Amino acid sequence: MTGVAALIEMVLRPELVMRSELSLSAPLLFGFAAGLAVFSASHVRWSFRWQRLSLRVAYPLVMIGCAIALDVFTVPLGAALIVGPIAALLLAATLMRTRQARDEADCLTP
């Protein structure tokens, strides 16, 4: 999401230099992270019971707390352009791997 916001910022303000900072909506970013954590927590293979109980609930609550507490989150534009696409590729790879594992499990069931 940061990479997309950086690209939009570059398109809307062509005189922008790479050393400038990108202002992002903290409630949007942290709210999105909290929602993603809540909806993807059931797909995670937790190693220990304490992880299932604490991390599955605590991480989204921390993200919601950050969304409420912060207003604007600034990052360097160059970092956003580098980190954004890498994060998107990692998310896509994780989703593809999860889908393949699910399809393989479906093939093994009689």
Side-chain angles (χ1 to χ4, degrees), residues 4 7 9 15 18 47 49 51 69 71 73-74 79 107:
V4 173
L7 288 175
E9 186 81 14
E15 72 277 354
M18 292 302 283
S47 301
R49 180 175 165 81
Q51 290 175 328
D71 183 31
F73 186 75
T74 58
C107 290

Side-chain angles (χ1 to χ4, degrees), residues 9 20 24 28 30 37 44 49 54 67 76 89 95 104:
E9 186 81 14
S20 66
L24 301 169
L28 178 66
F30 287 111
V44 176
R49 180 175 165 81
S54 63
L89 288 173
L95 291 173
E104 289 172 3

Side-chain angles (χ1 to χ4, degrees), residues 20-80:
S20 66
E21 288 193 348
L22 177 66
S23 296
L24 301 169
S25 169
L28 178 66
L29 288 175
F30 287 111
F32 180 77
L36 189 61
V38 167
F39 290 117
S40 64
S42 63
H43 299 290
V44 176
R45 291 184 185 154
W46 301 102
S47 301
F48 302 103
R49 180 175 165 81
W50 69 268
Q51 290 175 328
R52 265 192 314 274
L53 298 176
S54 63
L55 294 179
R56 190 173 185 178
V57 175
Y59 181 75
L61 287 177
V62 168
M63 292 295 108
I64 290 172
C66 289
I68 292 170
L70 298 173
D71 183 31
V72 176
F73 186 75
T74 58
V75 294
L77 183 65

